[in-house]
Amino acid sequence: MPFKKADPNIVQFARKVLLDVSGDDAGCLDGQSKICNWLQNQLKDQVEARLCELYLMNWLAVDDEATTKKLLSEVYSEIGLRNLVPALKDKYPFLRCVHSSPLKNIGLRVAKAIAAHRKSKSGARAGQRVGWIKYKSWAKEWCSVEYDEPGKGWDVSEFGWLKLTFGTDRDGKRLSLRVRMVRPPKHIAQARTCRIIREGKDRYYAVFTFKKQKKARRPFARAVYIDPNQKNFGYALDAEGKAFEIQNLQRLREMECTLDALKAKRDKCARKSLWVDVVHQDGTTSTHWRPSRKWTSLNQALVRLELKVREQRKHFQFSLANQLFRHYDVVGIGDYVPENADHGKGRKYNRAVRNRSMHGSFKDTLQWMATRSGKRAVVLDETGTTRTCHVCNHVVEGGIHPSIREWDCPDCGTHHLRDENASQNGLRRLLESLGADAGSPQMHCLGPVQIIGRCDWRFHPQGWQGIPQGCANVNLMRLPEYRQRCVGTSVPPGGDTRAPGSTLRRFA
Ligand SMILES: [Zn+2]
């Protein structure tokens, strides 16, 4: 069932579940994926042959409307392309080993790729060029096996187990596989579609999609503004006057250095790799690049680490968004993007800044979480928030250098913490923009808020921790003098009544 235009009150979301796959079962899944991959390449050939035919007919001025129409529909329409699959099944019987649902989806995937290419060529989507469909190499990328209809070819009715149905073998016997899922979500029975993917060499996952009714919008009572910056992830200030600095992912930097080192090592080995000629059975030869053994092993390590970094970034963003929306109804964030410019600390540093910051993708995560939970995320223009004094609105000419963390307003003499002042301005903008919106009567306070407490938020895989500011080590929190220090000064965000510094509840 192709996706209908989404109902605005329904949100779709996906859950990735690890599969506990043994060696034999992995072979089965690989086989299915390989066949899907082969079909995709075959369809590319089929489509190109038809285009060739069309071109020739045009060139020879053959006027056969019916044939032209048929060929065009087989190339350019989803249904036409999908209908090529049954004919191929007759010609290549091994395709029958795969359930018809994934095969059909390969057809749809190719059709979508062609449509995207046409659309970008016609200029409908400016800026993004989508190339013509390419051959896929299974060795490089595992082709996902997609079941897109509820209960067709897959079954999760037995909790904790996924039953996949494949095609039939040579004798017409239906093949199937039953695999255990690692920690499936409780509502697994409501899954709509199922897609099998592989990450790295041996981790198989099932991605299920779910549909959920959107929650009704609540009045926006509690608001927070995040001033994104480079030193930390951001500095947040809420309307009650609690300020907290959101710290960046701690180990990311080290891991990225390791990534660079691994990449350099691997690329050195590329020189020792070989071009190999292979003589096939029919006497033809082909040449392909064969990496050295060292290259292969380094590459594997690299892929694993890249995956880990990606997962950690995702985890960081989702848990932060979760945590924010647990405490607040509206989250405003400045539209800061690290400039694609020279930061004066060398080429490597410039690149690292561009790569490492997650602010761009975090905005999308925040928007998505807001939609899901009936809350609201606002992206605000943050020009001038740092250089403007929030008390008297004096604007410092030429801005304030990033190295200056605290300053005094030359006009009214107020002492400012750089990031906090920016957050004050941002929060005011956020409240003003909400005030302009009808239906949020709670927003009466538009002036600068009185700071009643400061703390740091630190990411921890088990949940976010609120720790007193300047406390470098979480373990120090166990010492009484530190605990003493944070009483009264660091208020856990959102009126959490537990002792400051205690681990906040694990996110759902
Ligand atoms: Zn001032």
Side-chain angles (χ1 to χ4, degrees), residues 36 43 78 100 106 152 187 192 329 442 451 468 486 496 501:
C36 286
L43 281 175
E78 282 191 359
S100 58
I106 293 290
K152 262 202 181 163
H187 51 275
R192 314 278 306 174
D329 302 317
Q442 284 88 349
I451 305 290
C486 66
D496 202 304

Side-chain angles (χ1 to χ4, degrees), residues 347-360:
R347 195 169 48 89
K348 265 191 175 170
Y349 180 85
N350 291 342
R351 198 206 52 186
V353 165
R354 280 198 300 275
N355 284 352
R356 205 175 299 144
S357 82
M358 294 177 270
H359 295 109

Side-chain angles (χ1 to χ4, degrees), residues 139-156:
K140 275 192 194 142
E141 203 181 350
W142 207 83
C143 183
S144 66
V145 181
E146 195 173 351
Y147 294 88
D148 69 342
E149 285 175 62
K152 262 202 181 163
W154 59 286
D155 185 16
V156 284

Side-chain angles (χ1 to χ4, degrees), residues 222-295:
R222 297 165 301 170
V224 66
Y225 174 80
I226 302 168
D227 174 54
N229 59 50
Q230 204 170 304
K231 198 174 129 261
N232 269 312
F233 187 79
Y235 196 94
L237 178 67
D238 70 8
E240 289 169 47
K242 285 172 202 149
F244 51 96
E245 199 159 351
I246 301 167
Q247 304 205 329
N248 254 329
L249 203 50
Q250 297 283 308
R251 290 204 45 230
L252 201 63
R253 198 192 146 89
E254 295 154 42
M255 288 208 287
E256 264 166 7
C257 288
T258 320
L259 267 182
D260 282 350
L262 268 175
K263 231 176 245 168
K265 257 188 178 169
R266 182 196 68 178
D267 293 346
K268 254 186 197 162
C269 296
R271 265 180 275 155
K272 288 189 191 141
S273 307
L274 294 166
W275 285 95
V276 193
D277 290 325
V278 181
V279 183
H280 296 288
Q281 279 174 341
D282 52 356
T284 54
T285 55
S286 65
T287 314
H288 69 267
W289 185 69
R290 195 187 66 194
S292 69
R293 264 173 42 209
K294 198 168 174 196
W295 189 95

Side-chain angles (χ1 to χ4, degrees), residues 128-168:
Q128 243 178 335
R129 297 294 275 176
V130 181
W132 179 245
I133 42 176
K134 290 196 184 93
Y135 285 119
K136 299 269 183 205
S137 152
W138 186 83
K140 275 192 194 142
E141 203 181 350
W142 207 83
C143 183
S144 66
V145 181
E146 195 173 351
Y147 294 88
D148 69 342
E149 285 175 62
K152 262 202 181 163
W154 59 286
D155 185 16
V156 284
S157 53
E158 186 187 352
F159 188 78
W161 292 89
L162 170 65
K163 196 168 171 248
L164 287 172
T165 313
F166 301 149
T168 50

Side-chain angles (χ1 to χ4, degrees), residues 388-395 407-414 416:
T388 311
C389 163
H390 75 261
V391 180
C392 67
N393 286 331
H394 174 78
V395 179
W407 55 286
D408 291 314
C409 171
D411 210 25
C412 69
T414 320
H416 291 303

